Amino acid sequence: MLKGLLPLVSGLSLVSTVVGCSLQNTEEIIENATQAYDNLESYYAEITHSYYIDGEKETVIYKEWNVAPDKHRIELRDGYTYVSNEDESWLYDKEENMITILDDQEDIMIGIPDESHVVNDILTAMLDSSDVVVEGNVTVAGRSTVHLSLTPHSSTLNSGSYDIWIDEETYIPLKIMWEEDSFRSETLFNLIDYNINVNNDLFRLDPPANAEIQTMEEYLSDSLTLEELEEKADYEIPQLTYVPSGYHFQEAKYFEAFRESMIEFRNNDDDYLILSVSETTRDIPDDGQHELLDIGRFIGTYSSIENTQLLSWNTGKLQLELIATGSDLNKKDVLKTAEHIN
């Protein structure tokens, strides 16, 4: 997941550069869209970001305020607020009444989408490796957009497809859909106002009464040994009695606020195998879209996206997940590891 830091400049220059551009010239459309965020002075937007994995849907709904060059605010519907200005950045958790002070290096660790970076990466990668078709004009967020369908050439590694709806006037992409195998992602601007006056108070830290303030170092869990993890956790840590050849213990973490644990193994290629343990259990989805596997006396769900495999199961007391990357591990390796967890 990414977080927004949008570099913005004068929107007037954008208008002057797009006059007379043919919407049928797809290469020119994509090139202008890639640079569009750099040509805005400010904007306010209401955005919905959804993704679907094996039929399960997750949605993040948030509001954004941006003022060039370095003022940014995001309010998530679940009570989180991210704010940054030229001097500092912080994240506020309304439910916990907790403010976490961030620094530049740690900003990217907060899971808030950055539309400018996402758009730039997608369009730059797809420009020279896809067949682009203009599907027509569609209204998105009350604005006229041109709908582009991008399908990668058969010679490219990416087998997924993109649909992008680009504002005809500003070239800002107002809707993006990406679909590949059992994964689908959709970002939709429900509303956007360009080059508006934004109250500077929105970008200042004004702690609510009795709010606790912490640094990012205090927020993140310390790296632990397995023995230290067993002492910190409020539940018995499952034991891995089998680990695939070449993988060695890297570190463990305990996230006290969420009562979750993580045990990480890595190989010499820096591929990882992670066991995640949580006291919050989930039922096995009964939608016919998940691959079910027997894991000892339990039943789990298995999915794979590119080089990442995920095996998840419920023991009745704990939710366990194995996450594996790299081409040297297959489904059989991951399942064998899970079957040897006591």
Side-chain angles (χ1 to χ4, degrees):
M1 301 248 255
L2 301 171
K3 175 198 55 61
L5 288 174
L6 308 182
L8 311 173
V9 291
S10 172
L12 294 177
S13 62
L14 173 67
V15 175
S16 65
T17 61
V18 304
V19 172
C21 174
S22 169
L23 287 178
Q24 300 306 311
N25 185 337
T26 56
E27 183 171 332
E28 187 173 357
I29 293 173
I30 294 175
E31 288 177 346
N32 279 290
T34 303
Q35 300 297 320
Y37 281 96
D38 292 334
N39 296 301
L40 286 179
E41 185 177 83
S42 63
Y43 77 78
Y44 166 74
E46 297 176 6
I47 303 168
T48 300
H49 178 74
S50 302
Y51 60 93
Y52 309 76
I53 302 178
D54 291 332
E56 289 190 6
K57 179 181 178 181
E58 296 288 342
T59 299
V60 178
I61 299 176
Y62 54 100
K63 301 177 181 179
E64 282 189 301
W65 292 261
N66 289 273
V67 175
D70 47 26
K71 293 184 176 68
H72 192 88
R73 181 185 183 97
I74 294 179
E75 294 183 0
L76 281 74
R77 192 173 65 174
D78 60 4
Y80 285 91
T81 299
Y82 166 79
V83 182
S84 66
N85 56 41
E86 64 272 19
D87 298 318
E88 57 187 351
S89 302
W90 62 91
L91 180 72
Y92 175 59
D93 181 347
K94 183 178 181 180
E95 183 176 346
E96 299 292 333
N97 200 19
M98 172 76 74
I99 293 175
T100 303
I101 304 297
L102 312 172
D103 63 34
D104 292 341
Q105 289 72 35
E106 292 159 340
D107 277 353
I108 198 170
M109 303 179 72
I110 302 303
I112 301 175
D114 176 347
E115 305 313 330
S116 68
H117 292 170
V118 170
V119 170
N120 186 286
D121 291 345
I122 290 175
L123 295 179
T124 300
M126 300 299 284
L127 178 60
D128 296 322
S129 61
S130 300
D131 296 317
V132 183
V133 176
V134 177
E135 301 288 356
N137 296 90
V138 180
T139 298
V140 178
R143 300 185 62 86
S144 179
T145 70
V146 57
H147 175 192
L148 300 182
S149 175
L150 296 85
T151 303
H153 300 152
S154 58
S155 60
T156 63
L157 294 177
N158 183 3
S159 61
S161 62
Y162 291 94
D163 283 271
I164 303 174
W165 289 257
I166 296 176
D167 191 318
E168 288 189 79
E169 179 184 356
T170 66
Y171 286 102
I172 293 292
L174 298 182
K175 183 178 179 180
I176 300 174
M177 292 181 62
W178 170 39
E179 188 166 4
E180 181 175 7
D181 298 329
S182 60
F183 177 81
R184 181 160 66 93
S185 173
E186 177 181 313
T187 299
L188 172 65
F189 281 69
N190 303 293
L191 181 150
I192 188 165
D193 288 328
Y194 301 110
N195 298 324
I196 59 174
N197 292 323
V198 182
N199 190 333
N200 277 328
D201 289 343
L202 285 172
F203 310 107
R204 295 184 182 132
L205 176 59
D206 185 16
N210 303 318
E212 185 177 350
I213 298 178
Q214 65 180 357
T215 64
M216 197 64 182
E217 289 84 356
E218 294 169 328
Y219 172 78
L220 294 175
S221 171
D222 293 332
S223 179
L224 305 173
T225 65
L226 288 173
E227 292 76 15
E228 291 170 335
L229 175 62
E230 291 173 351
E231 292 178 2
K232 277 184 169 289
D234 295 329
Y235 46 82
E236 185 176 355
I237 298 297
Q239 302 297 311
L240 283 80
T241 59
Y242 167 81
V243 177
S245 175
Y247 283 78
H248 306 282
F249 173 77
Q250 182 78 14
E251 64 176 350
K253 288 182 177 289
Y254 182 63
F255 305 95
E256 187 171 357
F258 307 102
R259 300 170 70 86
E260 293 183 3
S261 304
M262 184 191 76
I263 303 172
E264 179 179 337
F265 297 82
R266 287 188 180 267
N267 64 10
N268 291 334
D269 294 327
D270 217 27
D271 298 322
Y272 61 76
L273 177 70
I274 293 177
L275 173 64
S276 172
V277 184
S278 172
E279 285 192 309
T280 303
T281 59
R282 301 191 299 271
D283 294 332
I284 296 175
D286 186 21
D287 54 15
Q289 301 186 40
H290 289 74
E291 181 178 358
L292 303 182
L293 296 177
D294 290 326
I295 306 172
R297 57 193 176 93
F298 305 111
I299 297 177
T301 60
Y302 173 85
S303 60
S304 176
I305 301 176
E306 295 185 347
N307 287 331
T308 301
Q309 302 178 74
L310 174 63
L311 184 60
S312 178
W313 68 104
N314 180 343
T315 70
K317 294 182 179 180
L318 299 172
Q319 186 74 31
L320 303 182
E321 292 185 337
L322 270 178
I323 306 167
T325 64
S327 58
D328 62 330
L329 294 182
N330 55 33
K331 184 197 299 186
K332 184 178 179 180
D333 297 321
V334 176
L335 181 59
K336 182 177 179 180
T337 304
E339 290 175 337
H340 284 76
I341 294 176
N342 298 326

